[in-house]
Every structure is written in C-alpha cells, then in structure tokens.
Amino acid sequence: MPADATSGAGARRQRLVQRRKALGLTQEALAELLAVGRSTVVRWERGESEPLPSIRPRLARALKVSADLLEGLLTADDQRGDDVAPRQLPATAADFTGRAAELRRLTQILDAAGPGRPGTVVISAISGMAGVGKTALALYWAHQAADRFPGGQLYVNLRGFDPSGAPVTAAEAIRGFLDALGVTPARVPASPEAQAGLYRSLLAGRRMLIVLDNARDEQQVRPLLPASAGTLVLVTSRSQLTGLAAADGARLLSLDALAHGEATELLATRIGLARAAAEPGPVSEIARLSACLPLAVAIAAARAATRPSLPLAALADELRDASGRLDALDAGDPAASVRAVFSWSVRQLSREAARMFLLLGIHPGPDISGPAAAGLAGCDLAQGRRDLGELARAHLITERAGGRYALHDLLRAYAAEQARGSGGEPEREAAIGRVLDHYLQTAAPAARLLNPSHEPVVLAPPRPGAAPEQPADHRQALAWFEAEHQVLLAVVTLAAQSGFDVHAWQLPWALAPFLQTRGHWQEWVATQRTALTAAAHLGDMTAQAVCGRLLAVAHSELGDYAESARLFSASITLYQRLGNRLGEAKVQFNLATLAEGQGRHADMLGHAEQALRLYRAIGDKASEATALNNVGWTHGLLGDYEQARTFCRQALALCTEVGHHWLEGYVWDSLGYAEHHLGNLGEAAACYQRALSLHREAGDRFTEAESLTHLGETRQAAGNLAQAREAWRHALAIFEDLRNHDDAGQVRALLARTDVNPPSDSPRSSSPQARESEPELRR
C-alpha cells in the first residue's frame, strides 16, 4: 500500500485529508498521536468508518481544530447535501398591498452585497409592534428574490414572542435545517455544538436565503448565522436587534404600519371594491381605527365580509367604541388598539366558537388538529370543525395543510390572556386535562403499533370528551406522530408545568418509539428527563424505573455509555425491588445493545440470553421472539452462523404463533445474513425476498431498501451480477427518495465497484462500526 492511501470506494473526506496534510502529518504520524492503527486513519479518510466518541476530542486536538470544525471535516464530500435545494418558504399573501419603498430597500441591500458577500437584513416593527406585517413583507420579498439563491431557501419561525411556549432554541432550529438540507438522522452528530458545525459546513460555498422569522433577540439569531459568504439571512423581530447591527454588520430596516392609503386599499381588496366604493368614508375610518396594522385591518375586513348587509359605517362605530386591552400593543390611542379589534371580532362569534377561541389560548401550539381541538373543548368532532371553520373565516386562526390550525402569536397572546382572566379556573384545568388525555390516549396505542414490544404502561381512562384518535396500523401511527411531533414536545412541557405529573411521564414514554425511529436522541433525553422528574414527584417507583430505563437507552444511543450504565443500574434495582421481571428483562435486553455499541460481543450474548430467560419465565412471547432474534444476531456477530440460524428460526416460529408481524421482516433479514455466511446463497436470497414482502406490506420503505441492498450482495456472491445491480438500483431509488444520503452513497459505491471488482463473499461486515445503525432494527 502506498504511504498515503486516501483512495477508496467509500465516501471520501477530502477536507479531513487536507487538514492533516496542512499540519505536515502523515497517516502514520496521526495514527501514532491517537494510539490507533494506520488502517483506522485510512478508513476515516475514505469515509468507511466513524471515529468513536471517545477518540474525537483527541482527534480534534491532534488536528488543532474545534469540535464544531471537526464535525465539518468528518462530513463526507458526497454527503454534504449539496444536491438538496430546500424550498421552505411559506406561501405569501395573495392580496399583499403596499410596502413599495421597503421592497426596493431590501433589493438594494441585496444588490449592494453582491454575489460573493453575505448580508443580514433585520426587519422590526416600531416599538416591537406585532401585527405590522413583518413576516408578510419578508416572505413576499423572499419569493420575489428566490431565483437569485440557487442553493435554496430555509425558513423557521423562532417563536420569539410566543406567550404560551418557550422560543425555539438555536439547537432546535439547526436540527430542522439539517433535516431540510437532506442530512439523515444517522449522520446528525450527537451534540448541539457539533450539529451547529455541520450546519455551517453544509452552507459553505452555497448561495442560499435563510428567513429567521419572529426572533426574540440577538442571542437567538447569532448561532444560526452562516460563517461563509454567499448566503443572505433575513430576520424578522419585534425587537430592533441593534446589537446584531453593531457586532455582526446587519442592515436594519424599521417597518412602520401601513400608510393610510395602503390600509384602505387592503381593506377594499378584502371586502370587495364595489362595496368599498359605495362607502369611502367608513372605509377610511375603519382603516384608521385599525391603526393601519395589516393584521387588524384583515380582522376588520373579515367581520365586514361576514355581514354583507350591514353598513360599513355601523362597523366603524363598533370598532370606535372598543376600548384598549392589550397594553403591550397599545399605541397610545384607544382607537389604535389591536386588543379592541380582537375583542370586537370575538364578540361577533357564536358562543361555541368564542369558547373554542378562548380555549385555544391554553394549547401550547405551534398548531392543532381538528380532533385535538375537539378534545380541548370537550365537543364532538363535527362541532369542533364548525367552530374552527368559523374562527378561520373571521381570520382569528389560519388553516394550514392537512386540516391543522394555527394562531398568529398576537392572537395567541390575546386568547391566552382571555383564558387566564376568564375566572373559570376549573374549566381551564378540565380543558388541559382533556387535551392531555387526547394526546396520551392516542399516542399510547400508536406507540405499540410502531413497536409491539414497547414496555406496557397502565393508563387511566380518558376524561369524557377527550376524543382520542385511533390509528389503525403502523403507517397511520407513524403519520400521526409525524404531524404531532412538535406539538407533543410542547404538550410534555405543558403537563409538567400544569401539575399533571402522570401525563408528564407517560407522554414521553409514548413518544419514545417514534423519537427512536427518527433518531431524535436529544429530544428523547429532554423529554425523559422531564418524565423522570415527574415520576419522582409522584413517588411512583414503577414510573421511575420505566423513565430511568428509557433515559438510559437514549444516552446509550448518544454514546454516553457511563451515564447509560448508571441509569440502567438504578432502573434494574427498582424493577427487582418491585418484583417486575418484565422490566428486568427489558434492562437486560438494553444492556446487550449497550455492550454491542462498545464492541463487547461476549457480554452482549450474556445479557441477551438473560433477557431471553426472563421473557420465557414470565410468558411474554412477543418479547421472547424479539430476544430470540437478538440472541441469534449476536451469535452471527460472534461467527457462529449455525447457532444464529437456529435462534432466528425459533424467533420466526414464535412471531407466527403470536402474530408479531412487525418483527418478522427483521428476522427474515437476520436469517438471510446467517444463510449467506453458511454458503446457502439461494436460501439467503429467499429469506431476503420474504423480508422485502413484509417490509412492503408494513409500508416501511427504509428497511425495504436495506433488504434490497442485502439481497443484491447475495446475488453478487452467487455470480448473478445483473440481478444484484437491479436490486441495488431499486434500493438507491428509495434511499434517494427518503434523502438518506449515507446509505445511498454506500449503494452507489456497490454499483460502482461491480464494474471493476470481483464479487464479495460477504454481504455485510460484522464490525461494530459498519453495523452501528443496525441494532435499532433488532430491538
């Protein structure tokens, strides 16, 4: 081998190689500094393996870079997401009016920046006034300028002034951007700092537009600013963010209310030009009494549109009589109070819709579905949808795709204030209980559909009116979790803050299978910490054991093995004290996974066998099937393929007996691995075909692509190169559709190697590094 072997079939990390060479280090020299073999450094640089978490700090020191920059160096050249051009801009208003001067100014700032310089534009309302149209202006201009940013557009609502929930953190925003940029969960670094480094690396060399909407302050914005030229960041905020201008060179654009003529034009467009022309005086008066705020004008127009026979002069009188109530949005003149406009609009609602609006102020957001809103109000779904439709027509809520509804933050502030000041604390508490029950009683069966072996938890009956949903299968359960993901995270916080401790630990329990499937380990840790605190408040030993175990699993996935082991130890002690052998078996099963992550395969087998014995003793056949597959897989890792086949066949028989269809596809895939290594290539191919059929039936496209990859490797070993390449092409199409660039790159490498390399006799490496994503599929 040459002295500096950086060529290879993997996804190469050219920047890592360049950094090493810039320091005058050979591969041997770097390996000696880190006390690893030279072949390990070669595999890192080829993108064939990842440095272990314990080595990364030393690697960063050896390369004289920060942890953030190291993550960028470790991003493979063909895994940077450069082929992904996100288009995240929300739709702009069809009747956008005015702002000609501001639009010109934004374009001038972009033109002055030139194609090679970054720019930052900050849009703020006078005195931080809400409802002035900051977001509307930003999105309207962004759509006009979108073609000047071929790298795509990113958008996030930072919820800086959301009264019913904490602002979006920089870490949460960055994780969302990484998803939009096509980074798969397996490629996302564990720590928020490393995620930030990867985010900046992905933006390097790309011309992109980033819209950071509704920022609270400079501190929330700065971590999201790119480090390289070519990207323009557009920020909206109620604050002026002068510190961003002083320290970061931002260009400030202060946005005032609409000019009076623009406000009347907007009102006329909304209510109809003929009607506006018939009463020009009242139109002008309504615009003035709405303080020429776009949101307030829109609400006034909606009220006029719903009462077409009422003279506009009468509507102006109603608005004029309203007194100011939202102090933070009072411009000094009661007639210019947004609170007055809101109260006037709400008074025109039906009693049911007005009650729904008030209760929406309790919900933590960021949006809500029709069934959840019905549960919140304690009404049937049909009535709930009628109420939401009435609110949408009055422009008090916005209907989004998929039957979801959102409140503008200004309207949410008003609704929350009204809910707190209504004097109906018992009704407020009952509404919180109902909506928590709605989410918990829907999430619990959905979690079991995602993972039938998920540890059972006894739930109290739902409150009357909670109206939980009933996902029918794995696909519906996954779709529900996807739609409610952010809401469920906020609801966990609501439960904890409102004293609903049982919900505060059971909701994270129900969330765990989804968060594991998507690789949201930081969210898993955060929610399980909340859960463990709530369980301690209750003094519930069973809850503490469950939450401690699930928190340990998340720490294990993040590579924090010491904390994971500590939590597992505490959890198994509680299970043993309670005489809960199922919980004890779960911990032994998890300890096997922990051992696999550390490369301790002999210990892994011991824990897996203990879990199997416990499952058999308590008669939990579904979990026994899972454990049998795990024991079989471990034997395969240890090279005992006959034993691997024996245990996996037992797992398959038990799956059939108990109807554990979710697991069968994984067992057939494990059997294919064993048969391949035993030289039974025809039988291995048949196993993979069975796995494919089950994965497709479940709608699990990711595991379908994995089994297609394995089938192709078996076809290749049997000399059927055309069939192998056909399977890989199908797998590649699925991985690309899922934006799973890591696995897509591996399949591309297989397709490329078949032109020059002889068939391999091994479908998959059994090294911990190469298999590190697969233990999830065995659980």
Side-chain angles (χ1 to χ4, degrees):
M1 181 180 291
D4 194 0
T6 58
S7 63
R12 289 187 292 171
R13 296 169 169 134
Q14 190 60 34
R15 287 168 295 168
L16 180 62
V17 175
Q18 291 171 347
R19 181 60 184 172
R20 172 177 59 75
K21 290 182 176 180
L23 295 173
L25 293 173
T26 64
Q27 291 171 330
E28 289 87 349
L30 181 58
E32 183 176 353
L33 287 173
L34 299 174
V36 298
R38 174 179 173 276
S39 61
T40 298
V41 174
V42 171
R43 287 195 299 273
W44 291 345
E45 295 184 346
R46 289 179 175 176
E48 296 173 351
S49 68
E50 299 287 336
L52 293 174
S54 60
I55 292 179
R56 291 188 181 221
R58 287 187 285 145
L59 178 57
R61 289 194 296 271
L63 295 176
K64 299 180 180 180
V65 296
S66 65
D68 284 0
L69 185 54
L70 176 63
E71 294 301 328
L73 297 178
L74 291 174
T75 302
D77 298 327
D78 61 350
Q79 297 294 326
R80 296 181 60 203
D82 290 342
D83 56 330
V84 178
R87 301 285 188 267
Q88 288 194 310
L89 294 179
T92 188
D95 53 6
F96 181 85
T97 301
R99 307 299 193 193
E102 291 85 355
L103 291 169
R104 283 195 301 271
R105 175 59 179 154
L106 288 172
T107 301
Q108 289 168 359
I109 292 173
L110 175 59
D111 291 340
R117 295 175 55 197
T120 302
V121 179
V122 180
I123 304 174
S124 61
I126 293 177
S127 302
M129 185 179 296
V132 77
K134 303 179 296 294
T135 298
L137 173 65
L139 292 179
Y140 187 82
W141 180 85
H143 277 283
Q144 289 186 323
D147 61 351
R148 299 179 64 174
F149 298 94
Q153 308 95 43
L154 296 173
Y155 171 89
V156 63
N157 181 358
L158 294 173
R159 300 175 65 185
F161 295 89
D162 193 326
S164 58
V168 173
T169 66
E172 291 169 341
I174 287 172
R175 178 58 200 263
F177 285 164
L178 292 178
D179 290 341
L181 289 165
V183 180
T184 62
R187 297 287 303 174
V188 176
S191 71
E193 294 80 10
Q195 291 178 17
L198 177 57
Y199 162 70
R200 288 190 289 270
S201 296
L202 291 173
L203 294 184
R206 300 175 63 159
R207 186 161 177 80
M208 297 190 68
L209 172 63
I210 303 174
V211 180
L212 307 178
D213 194 15
N214 195 15
R216 176 179 287 274
D217 51 30
E218 295 89 339
Q219 288 69 36
Q220 191 184 23
V221 170
R222 283 197 178 99
L224 305 178
L225 298 177
S228 58
T231 297
L232 187 140
V233 182
L234 195 61
V235 185
T236 74
S237 177
R238 295 185 197 176
S239 301
Q240 289 186 336
L241 305 183
T242 53
L244 206 62
D248 301 278
R251 313 289 180 85
L252 300 183
L253 176 61
S254 181
L255 187 63
D256 203 345
L258 288 171
H260 186 264
E262 293 174 338
T264 57
E265 180 183 351
L266 175 60
L267 182 60
T269 302
R270 292 288 182 97
I271 66 175
L273 297 179
R275 187 179 180 189
E279 297 186 76
V283 168
S284 178
E285 180 74 355
I286 290 171
R288 185 186 67 81
L289 293 173
S290 297
C292 294
L293 291 172
L295 184 59
V297 171
I299 295 171
R303 182 67 192 115
T306 59
R307 301 169 69 185
S309 62
L310 190 69
L312 294 177
L315 295 180
D317 289 339
E318 291 182 26
L319 181 57
R320 187 184 302 110
D321 292 340
S323 60
R325 296 174 187 171
L326 285 175
D327 297 334
L329 297 175
D330 192 332
D333 182 348
S337 170
V338 173
R339 183 193 273 112
V341 176
F342 287 167
S343 65
W344 166 70
S345 185
V346 170
R347 283 203 305 271
Q348 311 310 313
L349 297 171
S350 67
R351 182 177 62 85
E352 294 81 7
R355 177 174 176 269
M356 176 67 82
F357 178 74
L358 182 144
L359 292 176
L360 288 175
I362 297 172
H363 189 270
D367 55 15
I368 192 169
S369 67
L376 176 69
C379 63
D380 61 64
L381 181 57
Q383 180 62 52
R385 284 176 172 161
R386 284 195 294 271
D387 296 342
L388 292 170
E390 184 177 347
L391 293 174
R393 287 190 296 274
H395 286 234
L396 289 169
I397 61 174
T398 301
E399 184 173 3
R400 294 179 173 175
R404 303 188 70 81
Y405 299 84
L407 285 127
H408 183 280
D409 54 3
L410 173 59
L411 286 159
R412 186 182 296 279
Y414 176 75
E417 179 186 83
Q418 294 301 299
R420 290 191 300 269
S422 64
E425 186 59 29
E427 182 178 9
R428 181 178 182 275
E429 184 172 340
I432 293 175
R434 282 194 304 270
V435 78
L436 291 177
D437 275 353
H438 171 85
Y439 288 118
L440 176 59
Q441 299 285 342
T442 306
R448 297 285 288 183
L449 286 169
L450 294 188
N451 181 2
S453 299
H454 193 42
E455 183 171 2
V457 164
V458 178
L459 306 181
R463 292 165 174 77
E469 301 172 65
Q470 300 295 329
D473 53 29
H474 181 279
R475 186 173 299 180
Q476 289 186 16
L478 187 60
W480 183 83
F481 273 117
E482 290 280 12
E484 301 291 354
H485 178 193
Q486 296 302 320
V487 175
L488 289 169
L489 296 177
V491 163
V492 170
T493 301
L494 174 67
Q497 292 177 345
S498 302
F500 286 81
D501 286 332
V502 172
H503 294 81
W505 81 261
Q506 290 183 347
L507 279 164
W509 160 81
L511 257 171
F514 170 73
L515 296 179
Q516 181 178 21
T517 299
R518 289 293 180 261
H520 293 297
W521 306 116
Q522 295 289 352
E523 291 176 1
W524 188 343
V525 167
T527 54
Q528 288 302 328
R529 282 176 177 163
T530 299
L532 192 55
T533 299
H537 286 167
L538 292 168
D540 187 332
M541 288 178 58
T542 298
Q544 292 177 65
V546 172
C547 299
R549 183 182 72 81
L550 292 175
L551 182 57
V553 171
H555 278 292
S556 177
E557 293 291 350
L558 287 170
D560 189 353
Y561 299 130
E563 180 64 7
S564 178
R566 184 190 70 79
L567 288 164
F568 278 138
S569 177
S571 181
I572 200 169
T573 298
L574 288 173
Y575 280 127
Q576 291 170 342
R577 190 180 303 170
L578 291 163
N580 187 334
R581 290 191 293 173
L582 174 60
E584 187 178 349
K586 294 284 185 185
V587 176
Q588 290 293 345
F589 189 91
N590 298 141
L591 287 171
T593 304
L594 175 64
E596 181 177 9
Q598 297 174 305
R600 297 183 290 108
H601 293 158
D603 292 340
M604 177 187 176
L605 181 60
H607 289 300
E609 289 175 338
Q610 286 189 61
L612 178 59
R613 285 194 293 270
L614 286 166
Y615 285 138
R616 282 174 168 167
I618 62 181
D620 184 344
K621 291 193 173 183
S623 295
E624 180 185 344
T626 307
L628 282 166
N629 186 48
N630 198 35
V631 171
W633 175 246
T634 309
H635 278 296
L637 292 178
L638 291 168
D640 192 343
Y641 305 115
E642 290 283 0
Q643 281 286 73
R645 180 171 60 183
T646 298
F647 278 98
C648 289
R649 284 178 175 175
Q650 292 177 25
L652 189 61
L654 197 52
C655 283
T656 303
E657 178 184 340
V658 300
H660 199 340
H661 300 300
W662 171 82
L663 182 64
E664 285 186 40
Y666 300 112
V667 180
W668 280 111
D669 190 86
S670 297
L671 278 169
Y673 178 71
E675 296 292 355
H676 183 114
H677 279 279
L678 289 168
N680 304 322
L681 300 181
E683 183 64 26
C687 291
Y688 288 135
Q689 292 283 14
R690 293 292 297 273
L692 282 170
S693 177
L694 290 162
H695 294 326
R696 287 165 179 162
E697 181 182 340
D700 192 338
R701 300 190 71 208
F702 177 78
T703 49
E704 176 189 352
E706 283 204 323
S707 290
L708 279 166
T709 305
H710 306 157
L711 174 63
E713 290 163 334
T714 295
R715 297 293 195 199
Q716 178 194 20
N720 299 322
L721 187 57
Q723 293 181 7
R725 292 178 62 83
E726 180 183 7
W728 289 333
R729 281 193 292 268
H730 285 307
L732 179 60
I734 295 174
F735 283 136
E736 288 180 336
D737 189 47
L738 296 175
R739 293 186 174 182
N740 189 317
H741 298 290
D742 187 31
D743 289 298
Q746 294 179 23
V747 176
R748 288 192 198 95
L750 288 171
L751 286 165
R753 281 204 302 267
T754 52
D755 290 334
V756 295
N757 291 340
S760 169
D761 64 354
S762 176
R764 286 172 285 180
S765 168
S766 60
S767 70
Q769 291 86 352
R771 302 276 316 168
E772 67 180 21
S773 66
E774 293 187 8
E776 282 186 33
L777 307 180
R778 309 290 162 190
R779 289 175 214 153

